[in-house]
Amino acid sequence: MMRKRITFININKLGSNAANALLYTNDYINPLGDTRDIDINGTPGAMFSLEITNEAGKSILKSPIKNQIIPSTGMYSFTQIYPKTIYGDTYTVKITP
């Protein structure tokens, strides 16, 4: 079975390398645990940092994504494992320049 994908779009290189993003996903993360491929599309050379935190404010990233540069392909991709949770828990995704 193909993993579901989360896509961030519109990360653009502006005068100050600022990044703006829109999260697109059309379904829920399975509370029994889930794995998602995450794509971040944007202008090559744009810089961003990304955090994914649970309701307790704890990061669920395997390693920090800080000052990452969008490569020449225009897409930065990684696989994110979401741990087992109580149904109804939410995650906060924050992208900053």
Side-chain angles (χ1 to χ4, degrees):
M1 180 172 92
M2 193 164 120
R3 274 198 299 257
K4 295 177 181 175
R5 191 168 290 281
I6 296 174
T7 301
F8 292 90
I9 58 172
N10 194 27
I11 296 180
N12 297 308
K13 185 175 181 181
L14 304 175
S16 62
N17 281 344
N20 297 303
L22 170 68
L23 170 63
Y24 171 76
T25 184
N26 59 359
D27 59 354
Y28 294 97
I29 303 289
N30 188 330
L32 298 176
D34 214 339
T35 301
R36 299 291 174 97
D37 293 321
I38 297 179
D39 298 328
I40 301 171
N41 300 304
T43 305
M47 182 185 298
F48 69 96
S49 296
L50 182 136
E51 298 174 39
I52 303 176
T53 55
N54 62 17
E55 287 184 310
K58 182 179 176 190
S59 176
I60 64 165
L61 292 171
K62 183 176 180 180
S63 58
I65 298 175
K66 294 190 184 235
N67 299 323
Q68 181 63 48
I69 302 292
I70 298 286
S72 62
T73 60
M75 183 184 298
Y76 175 83
S77 299
F78 67 99
T79 300
Q80 178 60 47
I81 298 171
Y82 290 84
K84 182 178 178 179
T85 64
I86 298 171
Y87 184 79
D89 281 356
T90 60
Y91 294 98
T92 300
V93 178
K94 181 178 178 184
I95 293 182
T96 54

